[in-house]
DNA sequence: CCCGGGAGCGC
DNA sequence: AGGCGCTCCCGGG
């Protein structure tokens, strides 16, 4: 009954009690779970505090017995043999939007060893599919079903019988593990509701805990307890998502990337058609059944491929928590349990578990913040503490060897190096000015803390495992097992820091987290300074890495520099270690966290590494990624810039044509976006494409919940008017597009302008010889709409006037049209230096058609009329939207600058007839009568001819020039906003 | 035109 | 129910 504990001072502080008792005497009281729980906030004259009143039986058992993950417990004689089962049910919803079960496959593997690397397809298994008709089975279905190959097909009369038979199968197999995809969130939910609704027999056999009465079915995705006694490996669970690299975690995508298998997708809306009993052949339904059989296989194959069971078991062994939580939950709980075990072993009192609440320290700090800042409204989260340091990248394309040096496991190493722990770091006062102070690390005499020692143990064990792996005699199975073990050790060590800064963590210790990152920033800064002191150029760095420009073209030299630098850095620390992580042959550095490189692999091989670019994001379609890939390959090819630019331009031209020509498949246009909330919870649902699609999916009885990744394609609005329908309404699910046959058309212009151009533009930004207007032009988009203000002005006036020919400068100017009063013909007034076309003869202006002389006064009036026409046009102030899919033309002006006023459009409006256009037009008119220029631009024998002409017709030219100049000079400022015209010069 | 808040990445 | 740092893009005033 009585036991003396040492106090754990942080435990006290974590409770928000301000007192820092080191060791005190505690009275330990133990009583059964059949008695009521004490409140945790009681006190009396005899005691000030009670701890651990709400500890669960599981925690107690696991801690007291030091149970570290799955192991044999001598409670009774457990009858366990390993059986895995993979289940698929395909569900269709009909009438009243209720999801029913039409088909279920159980693929059962018996006596599997989860450490055996043999893939599931090479191991014996039984397959059984239960299927029931919607109305009636197609003729001959039962006969054909009985002759099915390996898989047993059991036609069932109705849904209830299907469920009953499935439950019998599960009961007989009694699986330890159930593997599925979206099982917890979807399948189990439907199963439970249908079993209850249809009063299925022995429904609790889905798990191992026998029940006769139904407990309440919880929210979707929260009913793991119905499976108690079995492990659930759900490939779409958060736990699994951490282990599988994928953008959508759809079964089809994972099969493709991890199994190299081409899984056929079935449109859920087509399910009913597979069950059509009115057709003459059973083939279609058999196809459906085989699809289910195959899916069940895929799920197990994926689970085996990513080693989900061995890895989660190792993680669970390290943390001492529950395996099912490792499989289906996040990592906070693992971290909690490893610390609980450690502190319990050392006889500390740990902070109490606060269910669904912020840790006591977090809550306390928030209150203090509120007091200090005079009752500032509870703005949700507290200010973040500072994290890793990111250097400003030196942007551009680097073509000397770049050394990527990074610290191995920086944060775990810092925690060890500086002995950062709950028991070693003194708490800090909260600063008066609200600024949070970083605590000091303990002095070197302070003994090693709990956390540093724990991490050291993990790191040492990992080192041992890795040395085992070097043994040449090791079998592949052993190697695989060790590899999983070392991975689990690394993951565990690395996750300790994250949980220190997690407000809801039982061991929340913000000052420790802040100290860790502070040291990280300090170390990275010093590392860069060291490099610079060695005359090495650091072009970039992020948190724990520096990219050093070796500035050499010989690999051996680069390696030598790397070794010298490594030694210089590592000499400064006891434990902390920097190492060469890779060598880049070429590096395209675009932004912080955004770059691509050609990495040197062993020998002469190379590979491309891409970080953070648009092409790595799920909201860009495959087409966009393919185009980016090509452009990137060209840029990194190392060939001459002109050749690269030319190839890019050519390629984009082809792409533009192919897209518009309908040569690209629908799949390549699919965009993905994750739902942050449930679709109906969006306040601005109407403007979000994926939310609109999700809502329509739900209306059809499909699932679309928070966290789901929604696929969609932008189509042309109904009725063909691209501008009329709001953007979000035009987003359609790929299945909708496929079903519509030709009704829905992909909005190619939108894809070119919004999915292809922007990523390419960003990639080409540092590349000479092209710009966004040119890239847009290649794609068949109007280049003028993509010219920046600066570029447009530069185009008109040119920073280097002499470099631009008049032909180029006045390309878009309207000609001066001269009408002849005699023959009523009309002709453009060509430049006077153009002796073949000019109507100005040495004798004066004359009509080229009827040779009649044209009066100066008449021409002057005509010129003035045309100039005034342009001015009037300018004052009409028509604006157009720069989004080619919108094309909105209006005379309305927005209140907020240049945003397009059409609902749902993201474009920018500009004057159709801008001040710059007008100014340029006037300059063009002036140029027509510029005698000096005419002489200058003429060469050879022409020069003399022109010179004679301007001498003879000087009066005429001066009169006309003066007319143009009048408008240009006197009123120029009224039209031309000099500030915008010359904005490109402000750099 | 500026400012903020999500997404989604990187580490 | 792990952290923070950084583009981007989109709404809103």
């Amino acid at each position: 009954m009585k036991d003396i504990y040492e106090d754990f001072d942080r435990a006290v502080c974590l409770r928000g009690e301000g007192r820092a008792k080191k060791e005190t005497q505690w009275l330990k009281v133990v009583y059964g779970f059949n008695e009521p729980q004490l409140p945790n906030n009681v006190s009396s004259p005899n005691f000030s505090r009670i701890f651990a009143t709400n500890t669960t039986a599981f925690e107690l058992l696991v801690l007291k017995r030091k149970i570290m993950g799955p192991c044999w417990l001598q409670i009774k004689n457990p009858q366990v043999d390993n059986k895995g089962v993979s289940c698929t049910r395909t569900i269709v919803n009909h009438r009243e939007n209720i999801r029913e079960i039409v088909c279920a496959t159980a693929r059962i593997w018996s006596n599997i060893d989860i450490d055996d690397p043999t893939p599931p397809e090479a191991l014996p298994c039984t397959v059984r599919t239960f299927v029931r008709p919607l109305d009636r089975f197609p003729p001959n279905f039962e006969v054909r079903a009985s002759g099915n190959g390996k898989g047993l097909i059991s036609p069932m009369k109705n849904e209830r019988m299907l469920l009953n038979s499935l439950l019998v199968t599960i009961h007989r197999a009694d699986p330890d593990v159930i593997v599925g995809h979206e099982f917890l969130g979807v399948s189990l939910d439907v199963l439970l509701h249908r079993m209850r609704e249809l009063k299925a027999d022995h429904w609790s056999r889905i798990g191992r805990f026998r029940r006769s009465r139904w407990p309440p079915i919880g929210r979707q995705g929260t009913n793991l307890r119905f499976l108690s006694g079995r492990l659930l490996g759900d490939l779409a669970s958060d736990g699994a998502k951490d282990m599988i690299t994928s953008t959508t975690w759809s079964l089809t995508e994972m099969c493709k990337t991890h199994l190299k298998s081409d899984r056929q997708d079935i449109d859920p809306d087509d399910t009913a058609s597979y069950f059509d009993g009115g057709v003459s052949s059973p083939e279609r339904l058999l196809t459906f059944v085989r699809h289910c059989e195959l899916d069940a296989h895929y799920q197990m194959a994926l689970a085996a491929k990513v080693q989900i069971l061995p890895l989660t078991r190792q993680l669970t062994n390290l943390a001492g928590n529950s395996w099912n939580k490792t499989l289906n939950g996040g990592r906070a709980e693992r971290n909690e349990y490893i610390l609980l075990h450690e502190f319990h072993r050392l006889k500390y009192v740990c902070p109490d578990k606060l269910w669904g609440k912020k840790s006591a320290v977090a809550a306390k700090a928030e209150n203090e913040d509120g007091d200090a800042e005079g009752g500032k409204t509870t703005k949700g989260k507290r200010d973040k503490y500072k994290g890793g340091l990111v250097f400003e990248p030196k942007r551009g394309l680097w073509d000397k060897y770049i050394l990527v040096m990074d610290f191995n496991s920086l944060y775990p190493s810092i925690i060890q190096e500086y002995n950062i722990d709950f028991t070693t770091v003194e708490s800090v006062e909260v600063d008066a000015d609200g600024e949070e102070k970083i605590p000091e690390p303990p002095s070197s005499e302070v003994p090693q803390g709990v956390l540093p020692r724990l991490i050291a143990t993990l790191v040492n064990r990992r080192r041992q495992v890795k040395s085992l792996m070097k043994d040449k005699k090791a079998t592949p199975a052993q190697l695989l097992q060790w590899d999983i073990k070392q991975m689990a050790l690394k993951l565990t060590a690395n996750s300790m820091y994250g949980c220190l800064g997690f407000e809801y963590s039982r061991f929340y210790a913000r000052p420790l987290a802040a100290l860790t990152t502070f040291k990280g920033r300090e170390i990275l800064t010093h590392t860069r300074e060291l490099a610079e002191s060695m005359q090495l150029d650091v072009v970039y760095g992020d948190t724990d890495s520096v990219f050093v420009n070796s500035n050499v073209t010989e690999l051996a030299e680069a390696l030598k520099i790397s070794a010298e630098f490594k030694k210089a850095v590592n000499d400064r620390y006891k434990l902390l270690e920097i190492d060469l992580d890779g060598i880049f042959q070429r590096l395209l550095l675009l932004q912080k966290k955004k770059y691509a490189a050609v990495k040197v692999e062993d020998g002469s091989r190379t590979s491309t590494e891409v970080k953070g670019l648009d092409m790595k994001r799920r909201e860009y379609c495959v087409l966009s990624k393919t185009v980016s890939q090509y452009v990137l390959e060209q840029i990194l090819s190392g060939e001459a810039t002109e050749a690269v630019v030319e190839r890019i331009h050519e390629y984009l031209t082809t792409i533009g044509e192919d897209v518009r020509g309908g040569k690209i498949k629908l799949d390549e246009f699919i965009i993905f976006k994750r739902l942050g909330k449930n679709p109906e919870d969006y306040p601005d649902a109407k403007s979000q494409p994926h939310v609109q699609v999700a809502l329509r999916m739900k209306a059809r009885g499909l699932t679309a919940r928070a966290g789901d990744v929604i696929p969609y394609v932008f189509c042309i609005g109904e009725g063909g008017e691209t501008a009329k329908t709001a953007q979000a309404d035009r987003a359609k699910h790929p299945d909708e597009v496929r079903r519509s046959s030709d009704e829905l058309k992909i909005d190619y212009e939108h894809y070119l302008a919004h999915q292809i151009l922007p990523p390419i533009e960003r990639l080409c930004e540092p590349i000479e010889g092209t710009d966004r207007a040119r890239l847009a032009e290649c794609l068949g988009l109007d280049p003028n709409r993509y010219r920046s203000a600066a570029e447009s002005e530069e185009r008109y006036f040119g920073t280097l006037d002499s470099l631009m020919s008049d032909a180029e400068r006045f390309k878009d100017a309207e000609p001066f049209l001269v009408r002849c009063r005699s023959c009523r013909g009309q002709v453009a007034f060509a430049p006077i230096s153009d002796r073949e076309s000019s109507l100005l003869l040495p004798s004066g202006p004359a009509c080229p058609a009827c040779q009649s002389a044209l009066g100066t006064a008449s021409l002057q009036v005509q010129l003035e009329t045309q100039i005034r026409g342009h001015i009037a046009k300018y004052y009409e102030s028509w604006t157009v939207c720069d989004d080619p899919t919108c094309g909105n033309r209006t005379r309305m002006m927005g209140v907020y600058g240049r945003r397009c006023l059409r609902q749902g459009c993201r474009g920018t409006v500009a004057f159709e007839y801008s001040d710059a256009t007008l100014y340029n037009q006037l300059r063009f008119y002036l140029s027509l009568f510029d005698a000096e220029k005419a002489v200058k631009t003429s060469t050879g024998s022409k020069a003399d001819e022109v010179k004679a002409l301007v001498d003879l017709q000087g009066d005429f030219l001066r009169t006309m020039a003066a007319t143009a100049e009048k408008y240009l000079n006197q009123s120029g400022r009224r039209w031309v906003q000099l500030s915008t015209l010359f904005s490109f010069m402000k750099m």
Side-chain angles (χ1 to χ4, degrees):
Chain A
M1 282 293 283
K2 205 171 167 188
D3 201 349
I4 304 301
Y5 276 73
E6 293 172 281
D7 185 16
F8 163 37
D9 67 345
R10 287 306 143 186
V12 175
C13 290
L14 285 169
R15 285 175 172 73
E17 293 212 354
R19 288 175 297 148
K21 282 194 268 178
K22 286 287 176 192
E23 285 181 23
T24 21
Q25 293 196 315
W26 293 86
L27 178 68
K28 178 178 173 183
V29 180
V30 179
Y31 66 95
F33 276 87
N34 50 341
E35 299 294 333
Q37 179 186 320
L38 281 168
N40 69 339
N41 55 355
V42 291
S43 64
S44 85
N46 302 320
F47 64 90
S48 58
R49 190 71 214 252
I50 307 181
F51 289 129
T53 60
N54 63 348
T55 307
T56 62
F58 176 83
E59 180 181 322
L60 216 49
L61 170 71
V62 153
L63 291 186
K64 289 287 162 201
R65 297 294 153 209
K66 300 181 170 40
I67 299 167
M68 299 301 281
C71 58
W72 293 99
L73 299 176
Q74 220 164 25
I75 302 169
K76 282 182 186 171
N77 268 352
Q79 301 271 321
V80 183
D81 61 341
N82 289 314
K83 283 183 182 170
V85 62
S86 170
C87 292
T88 308
R89 312 140 225 289
T90 304
I91 296 140
V92 69
N93 83 307
H94 285 300
R95 11 170 218 269
E96 297 142 45
N97 230 359
I98 293 184
R99 294 160 67 83
E100 299 176 358
I101 294 171
V102 289
C103 185
T105 298
R107 199 180 263 266
I108 301 163
W109 284 263
S110 295
N111 298 314
I112 300 188
D113 174 2
I114 63 168
D115 294 321
D116 178 2
T118 314
E121 59 265 34
L123 294 168
C125 74
T126 61
V127 193
R128 185 157 181 195
T129 301
F130 304 97
V131 56
R132 56 106 175 178
L134 283 183
D135 176 22
R136 60 178 198 274
F137 281 124
N140 229 18
F141 176 71
E142 280 95 336
V143 179
R144 289 291 311 279
S146 67
N148 193 42
K150 183 186 166 191
L152 183 60
I153 302 177
S154 305
M156 296 281 126
K157 260 170 107 167
N158 55 41
E159 192 181 358
R160 181 167 185 273
M161 290 179 71
L162 185 155
L163 290 169
N164 281 342
S165 302
L166 178 65
L167 284 162
V168 168
T169 304
I170 293 175
H171 178 63
R172 289 210 184 119
D174 192 26
D176 298 303
V177 185
I178 294 177
V179 170
H181 180 253
E182 295 269 31
F183 185 82
L184 190 59
V186 180
S187 311
L188 182 61
D189 197 63
V190 182
L191 268 175
L192 291 173
H193 282 100
R194 296 311 288 165
M195 290 194 305
R196 189 174 64 179
E197 174 71 24
L198 299 172
K199 300 186 178 14
D201 299 329
H202 306 298
W203 56 270
S204 70
R205 286 174 171 176
I206 193 163
R208 276 175 172 156
F209 189 78
R210 290 292 153 262
R211 300 171 198 263
S212 49
R213 294 212 348 245
W214 276 92
I217 301 176
R219 283 190 353 268
Q220 218 177 337
T222 62
N223 292 301
L224 194 56
R225 61 205 169 95
F226 283 90
L227 299 180
S228 53
R230 311 192 197 284
L231 289 175
L232 172 63
D234 190 330
L235 296 167
S237 71
D238 290 336
K241 279 178 183 170
D242 283 348
M243 291 173 223
I244 310 174
T245 32
S246 181
T247 54
T248 63
W249 293 282
S250 71
L251 195 52
T252 304
E253 189 201 338
M254 291 192 287
C255 284
K256 180 130 197 117
T257 53
H258 293 270
L259 301 177
K260 312 272 175 273
S261 294
D262 203 8
R263 174 180 181 264
Q264 291 303 116
D265 250 323
I266 286 188
D267 181 347
D269 273 17
D270 287 346
T271 309
S273 78
Y274 282 89
F275 283 76
D276 187 354
V279 296
S280 57
S281 154
E283 278 313 313
R284 211 166 135 72
L285 184 51
L286 284 166
T287 305
F288 188 89
V289 170
R290 290 189 189 116
H291 184 267
C292 292
E293 289 179 340
L294 198 54
D295 270 4
H297 161 73
Y298 282 144
Q299 291 166 25
M300 192 58 134
L302 279 168
K305 179 82 187 183
V306 301
Q307 298 282 312
I308 204 173
L309 290 169
L311 182 56
T312 53
R313 187 184 56 183
Q314 290 295 347
L315 288 167
T316 308
N317 281 146
L318 291 174
N321 62 328
S322 125
W323 193 351
N324 240 345
K325 291 286 177 75
T326 307
L327 274 163
N328 295 292
R331 65 200 99 170
E333 209 209 38
R334 290 209 307 275
N335 194 72
E336 179 181 329
Y337 269 84
I338 197 169
L339 290 174
L340 280 175
H341 277 289
E342 199 65 13
F343 281 123
H344 184 267
R345 198 169 59 79
L346 299 167
K347 299 203 176 298
Y348 282 95
V349 176
C350 290
D352 287 350
K353 179 86 183 165
L354 297 169
W355 301 99
K357 279 195 265 179
K358 287 184 187 175
S359 80
V361 263
K364 182 172 172 259
E366 240 168 47
N367 286 336
E368 280 171 2
D369 278 5
D371 293 346
E373 287 166 45
K376 201 172 76 178
T377 46
T378 42
K379 263 178 69 183
K381 275 179 76 177
R382 219 178 140 201
D383 278 0
K384 289 173 172 176
Y385 61 90
K386 287 224 180 314
L389 180 63
V390 186
F391 294 142
E392 196 59 47
K394 297 185 178 171
R395 295 173 171 78
L397 183 61
W398 298 89
D399 57 4
K400 304 284 176 61
Y401 284 116
I402 303 283
L403 307 166
V404 180
M405 311 291 302
D406 79 341
F407 287 96
N408 307 319
S409 307
L410 182 70
Y411 290 166
S413 304
I414 287 175
I415 291 171
Q416 291 181 79
E417 180 99 20
Y418 298 97
N419 198 13
I420 296 174
D421 187 48
F422 307 91
T423 64
T424 60
V425 176
E426 295 293 332
S427 63
V428 285
E429 324 280 308
V430 179
D431 216 325
D433 45 328
E435 202 54 30
E436 189 176 38
K437 268 202 198 153
I438 308 283
E440 285 292 319
S443 77
S444 54
E445 290 100 72
V446 175
Q448 189 178 37
V450 180
L451 200 51
R453 187 176 52 242
L454 179 58
I455 288 175
T457 310
L458 294 169
V459 169
N460 288 336
R461 284 179 63 187
R462 176 158 183 250
R463 194 171 298 138
Q464 286 169 21
V465 173
K466 288 195 109 172
S467 77
L468 283 176
M469 290 174 71
K470 289 190 183 126
D471 186 350
K472 292 273 184 329
K473 285 176 288 184
T475 67
Q478 274 178 316
L479 282 175
L480 186 64
Q481 214 169 329
W482 286 332
D483 194 43
I484 288 164
K485 183 143 211 158
Q486 68 87 11
M487 211 183 299
L489 285 160
K490 182 178 180 172
L491 282 172
T492 305
N494 283 340
S495 69
M496 312 271 7
Y497 153 74
C499 292
L500 290 179
F502 177 41
E503 286 180 313
Y504 294 86
S505 165
R506 203 158 157 186
F507 292 93
Y508 178 51
R510 191 183 153 99
L512 301 188
L515 175 57
T516 307
T517 59
F518 173 79
K519 284 294 169 193
R521 292 190 296 279
E522 201 176 75
I523 287 163
L524 195 66
T525 305
H526 288 158
T527 305
R528 168 153 75 175
E529 284 164 2
L530 184 62
E532 282 161 356
S533 76
M534 295 169 72
Q535 315 305 320
L536 293 169
D537 187 21
V538 174
V539 286
Y540 180 60
D542 183 347
T543 309
D544 62 354
S545 66
V546 283
F547 289 23
V548 175
N549 183 8
S550 73
N551 213 15
V552 297
T553 47
E554 286 296 319
L555 195 56
E557 273 184 79
L559 286 168
K560 204 175 135 220
I561 293 169
S562 141
E564 283 165 10
F565 180 63
K566 175 178 167 177
K567 186 170 185 315
V569 174
N570 292 341
D571 280 350
R572 303 171 54 144
Y573 306 100
K574 290 180 298 210
L575 284 161
L576 223 49
E577 212 178 14
I578 205 169
D579 209 345
L580 177 65
D581 185 57
I583 300 184
F584 293 156
Q585 197 171 62
R586 254 184 288 282
L587 166 66
L588 178 68
L589 204 40
L590 294 176
Q591 294 279 16
K592 285 180 173 179
K593 304 193 188 270
K594 287 171 194 265
Y595 60 85
V598 177
K599 189 173 181 175
V600 179
E601 301 285 353
D602 42 280
S604 55
R605 286 189 309 119
T606 59
S607 64
T608 308
E609 195 165 292
V610 177
K611 290 289 159 76
L613 303 189
D614 299 321
M615 56 192 283
K616 295 213 77 173
R617 306 186 130 240
R618 66 161 74 102
E619 69 261 34
Y620 288 92
C621 65
V622 169
L623 171 65
S624 166
K625 288 173 178 166
T626 312
V627 176
S628 283
Q629 181 68 41
Y630 177 87
V631 171
L632 186 60
E633 272 169 22
Q634 291 306 314
I635 294 175
L636 293 177
S637 70
E639 293 183 48
T641 312
E642 303 83 65
V644 165
V645 168
E646 197 180 314
R647 271 204 284 274
I648 291 172
H649 287 170
E650 261 172 39
Y651 180 76
L652 294 182
T653 308
T654 315
I655 287 293
E657 288 164 5
D658 287 356
V659 168
R660 291 195 176 86
K663 292 187 187 162
I664 313 288
K665 282 190 299 186
L666 172 67
D667 284 358
E668 307 214 5
F669 291 100
I670 301 174
I671 297 167
F672 296 94
K673 206 158 243 179
R674 216 181 109 253
L675 286 171
K677 326 185 225 290
N678 285 321
E680 49 287 335
D681 296 339
Y682 279 84
D684 54 344
K686 60 178 184 335
S687 64
Q688 308 249 23
H690 65 305
V691 178
Q692 289 300 314
V693 174
L695 287 170
R696 279 201 301 277
M697 284 169 70
K698 289 196 82 162
R700 275 158 44 210
L702 305 177
T703 53
R705 312 192 320 279
D708 288 353
V709 178
I710 307 294
Y712 62 88
V713 176
F714 279 113
C715 294
I716 291 177
E718 278 94 14
E721 284 179 73
T722 63
K724 279 278 151 64
T725 332
Q727 182 103 308
D729 287 334
R730 299 194 280 121
K732 309 288 175 189
H733 193 285
D735 286 340
E736 290 182 271
V737 182
R738 284 190 198 100
R739 269 200 306 277
S740 83
S741 51
D742 273 343
E743 283 291 302
L744 291 169
K745 298 236 192 293
I746 298 171
D747 189 346
Y748 298 136
E749 300 304 319
H750 177 275
Y751 276 90
L752 291 171
H754 294 97
Q755 281 268 316
I756 299 181
L757 180 61
I760 298 308
E761 188 190 324
R762 289 188 271 268
L763 282 175
C764 292
E765 205 272 331
I767 307 303
E768 298 284 331
T770 190
D771 56 51
R772 71 186 215 133
R774 186 79 182 88
L775 297 168
E777 196 175 14
C778 291
L779 289 169
L781 301 165
D782 179 359
N784 289 311
R785 293 185 166 167
Y786 293 95
R787 242 183 280 281
S788 67
E791 280 173 309
S792 307
E793 312 310 349
E794 198 169 321
R795 216 173 113 74
Y796 283 121
F797 309 112
T799 38
L800 296 166
D801 221 37
S802 59
L803 285 187
M804 199 196 278
S805 69
D806 276 5
E808 173 73 9
R809 181 181 298 122
F810 300 129
K811 189 166 67 103
D812 298 325
E814 299 283 331
F816 171 36
L817 293 174
V818 177
R819 200 159 44 82
C820 171
R821 292 159 100 181
S822 311
C823 67
R824 303 198 166 273
Q826 205 176 35
V827 65
F829 191 101
I832 48 179
S833 53
D834 181 356
R835 294 316 306 139
E836 279 76 44
S837 318
S838 176
L839 49 69
L840 183 61
L841 307 176
S843 55
C847 172
C850 67
Q851 273 79 41
S852 318
L854 299 163
T856 305
S858 164
L859 291 178
Q860 202 183 346
V861 170
Q862 291 195 39
L863 178 61
E864 246 177 290
T865 310
Q866 284 173 43
I867 289 177
R868 285 181 176 157
H870 285 290
I871 295 171
K873 197 171 167 190
Y874 166 73
Y875 276 121
E876 281 177 16
S877 308
W878 282 96
T879 61
V880 283
C881 174
D882 71 352
D883 185 332
T885 59
C886 167
N888 194 24
R889 184 171 182 271
T890 179
R891 291 182 66 177
M892 268 197 308
M893 285 299 289
V895 184
Y896 297 110
R898 298 163 61 198
R899 172 89 42 97
C900 178
L901 295 174
R902 196 178 57 72
Q903 201 204 348
C905 179
R906 297 295 312 160
T908 303
V909 293
F911 285 109
E912 188 176 51
Y913 198 86
S914 71
D915 44 18
T917 314
L918 176 59
Y919 188 78
N920 199 52
Q921 181 71 49
L922 297 180
R923 274 183 48 137
F924 170 67
Y925 287 147
L926 182 60
S927 77
L928 290 177
F929 311 104
D930 189 333
E932 203 181 328
K933 180 179 269 179
V935 172
K936 244 191 235 165
T937 53
S938 306
T939 50
S941 61
K942 276 258 183 72
D944 297 334
E945 204 181 331
V946 173
K947 205 165 188 309
L949 177 74
V950 302
D951 281 347
L952 285 166
Q953 291 300 322
D955 284 344
F956 166 75
L957 292 172
R958 272 189 291 278
T959 307
M960 296 300 285
T963 306
E965 243 163 16
K966 182 173 69 186
Y967 289 94
L968 198 54
N969 294 341
Q970 290 177 1
S971 311
R973 276 162 207 268
R974 212 161 65 210
W975 304 321
V976 181
Q977 294 168 19
L978 292 174
S979 61
T980 62
L981 276 184
F982 297 107
S983 61
F984 67 90
M985 295 179 72
K986 288 183 279 184
M987 313 232 11

